[in-house]
Amino acid sequence: MEHRKLGSSGLYISEIAYGNWFTHGEQIDQAAATQCVKQALDLGITTFDTADAYAGTRAEEALGEALKGTRRESVEIFTKAYFPTGDGWNDRGLSRKHVMESINSSLRRLQTDYVDLYQAHRYDYETPLEETVQAFADVVRAGKAHYIGVSEWTTDEIRSGVALAKELGVQLISNQPQYSMLWRVIEQEIVPLSEELGLGQICWSPLAQGVLTGKYTPGAAAPQGSRFRAGDGGLKNDHRFLNQDILTRVQQLKPLAEETGLSMAAFAVAWVLQNPNVSAAIVGASRPEQLVDNVQASGVKLDPELLLRIDDILGPVVERDPGKVESFKNRP
């Protein structure tokens, strides 16, 4: 397993991180979650990403239980705050009240005294940025987090957040965006700004919610147990990656993956890791063997000519519009 610096900080993280969105506390029980985490550790994955809102807080609990007995200094634990964790008016957002209460609850669920990275899961348009960054800075000063990061912030929001963090003497070192062969909205603006300011990308959904594994084929039933399987066994059609043109073009990537000796999943993860501003690609797993496959992407260097062939195949269906960053400000 290769490791990379997270942005311009001194922190090394595994270039493939294990994330438990949609798995721990929802798809799989504690025994299966623990198996997956132990497999990740055995494969050299040291970085684990979660969030307080995943599975209604159960994902953090599952990760904390699965990591019990692991030397704390040998792993990097990341979590996030923003989305609702309760029904109260203050059980959401990035107010000082919610941030302070959220970090304490996250640490309790994760069974640790600190997290390595505490992230703003989205930008909070109802709370002054100064209040949010001050709260995050105080979390760091209290020893409850080493670094801070953001997720799906726009360029203006990132620039303002970094400036405030610098004034307060803390390091905002990362952004967690969606990024894959099919979703490249960060390339035009977010990546150049991050390089300028010293942020690294921790990318979620490198498999485009499983579409880049090639398991969804045009006109065919969805695999049993897959995320996009409809009640009648067919394929759901309410997701941006599930149109017939995208699915057809993804099938054309299979010979290219075979040339590299990688599965389609590992090929997609390797593609994300070719971007030098990417510090890690987050993969999930409901079975340990999925991780064995995904880690084959670590250390892989894809030939520039192969990258051009990928672009030729996917070109018309790739989303590149920088305005599509998943900030709520940009939603209709």
Side-chain angles (χ1 to χ4, degrees):
M1 175 61 59
E2 299 288 333
H3 281 65
R4 301 183 178 191
K5 287 282 189 70
L6 181 50
S8 60
S9 77
L11 177 67
Y12 278 99
I13 64 175
S14 54
E15 66 177 8
I16 296 176
Y18 180 74
N20 68 354
W21 177 46
F22 268 140
T23 52
H24 295 183
E26 288 188 331
Q27 287 186 337
I28 60 177
D29 61 17
Q30 185 61 56
T34 298
Q35 276 189 318
C36 287
V37 168
K38 297 305 183 188
Q39 181 69 84
L41 292 167
D42 289 345
L43 292 168
I45 292 175
T46 60
T47 304
F48 296 85
D49 180 83
T50 187
D52 58 1
Y54 291 169
T57 74
R58 295 186 302 276
E60 283 186 329
E61 292 176 352
L63 180 59
E65 189 64 26
L67 286 172
K68 187 184 292 185
T70 302
R71 179 176 176 269
R72 179 62 184 88
E73 294 80 3
S74 67
V75 293
E76 305 85 46
I77 301 175
F78 301 168
T79 195
K80 317 177 197 73
Y82 170 82
F83 289 106
T85 53
D87 296 328
W89 282 89
N90 291 306
D91 291 334
R92 66 199 68 206
L94 297 176
S95 67
R96 180 177 184 83
K97 176 177 173 62
H98 185 57
V99 168
M100 292 304 184
E101 292 173 353
S102 292
I103 186 62
N104 290 334
S105 295
S106 289
L107 295 180
R108 174 179 51 78
R109 289 188 289 262
L110 289 164
Q111 303 183 45
T112 183
D113 295 328
Y114 68 94
V115 292
D116 296 276
L117 181 70
Y118 198 43
Q119 302 161 93
H121 210 160
R122 291 295 186 273
Y123 189 92
D124 185 353
Y125 297 102
E126 297 185 354
T127 300
L129 181 60
E130 293 80 2
E131 178 180 343
T132 294
V133 178
Q134 181 68 67
F136 271 74
D138 289 344
V139 167
V140 172
R141 292 197 184 96
K144 297 177 180 180
H146 290 326
Y147 304 92
I148 62 175
V150 301
S151 177
E152 299 290 1
W153 284 24
T154 66
T155 51
D156 289 344
E157 293 158 4
I158 289 173
R159 188 178 291 279
S160 297
V162 169
L164 280 170
K166 187 174 183 180
E167 288 178 15
L168 294 168
V170 295
Q171 292 173 273
L172 198 168
I173 61 171
S174 64
N175 178 47
Q176 187 169 134
Q178 180 177 183
Y179 187 51
S180 70
M181 290 183 190
L182 293 171
W183 192 260
R184 309 187 193 181
V185 302
I186 65 171
E187 291 181 342
Q188 185 175 331
E189 296 180 358
I190 296 290
V191 166
L193 177 68
S194 297
E195 291 173 337
E196 173 193 339
L197 299 179
L199 276 67
Q201 310 300 319
I202 307 165
C203 301
W204 61 273
S205 200
L207 304 181
Q209 281 90 73
V211 170
L212 287 170
T213 65
K215 65 183 177 182
Y216 300 109
T217 55
Q224 186 72 36
S226 60
R227 183 181 304 178
F228 297 127
R229 183 181 173 89
D232 61 359
L235 189 63
K236 295 179 181 178
N237 59 4
D238 58 350
H239 194 280
R240 59 186 167 226
F241 295 140
L242 294 181
N243 71 65
Q244 296 301 298
D245 191 11
I246 290 178
L247 297 181
T248 299
R249 290 174 183 274
V250 167
Q251 294 302 310
Q252 296 171 20
L253 295 175
K254 287 185 175 180
L256 279 61
E258 290 172 0
E259 288 179 25
T260 66
L262 298 172
S263 68
M264 285 281 283
F267 186 54
V269 175
W271 182 91
V272 167
L273 293 174
Q274 302 311 295
N275 189 319
N277 189 233
V278 169
S279 296
I282 301 172
V283 301
S286 56
R287 303 186 311 277
E289 56 267 26
Q290 292 172 316
L291 290 168
V292 175
D293 177 38
N294 288 338
V295 299
Q296 302 306 310
S298 181
V300 171
K301 303 301 180 186
L302 299 180
D303 187 272
E305 185 269 339
L306 182 63
L307 297 176
L308 290 175
R309 291 166 64 194
I310 293 170
D311 289 348
D312 287 341
I313 292 170
L314 296 179
V317 298
V318 171
E319 182 57 73
R320 301 178 184 273
D321 180 2
K324 295 289 183 67
V325 169
E326 290 285 306
S327 165
F328 292 126
K329 184 177 183 179
N330 294 333
R331 292 188 176 184

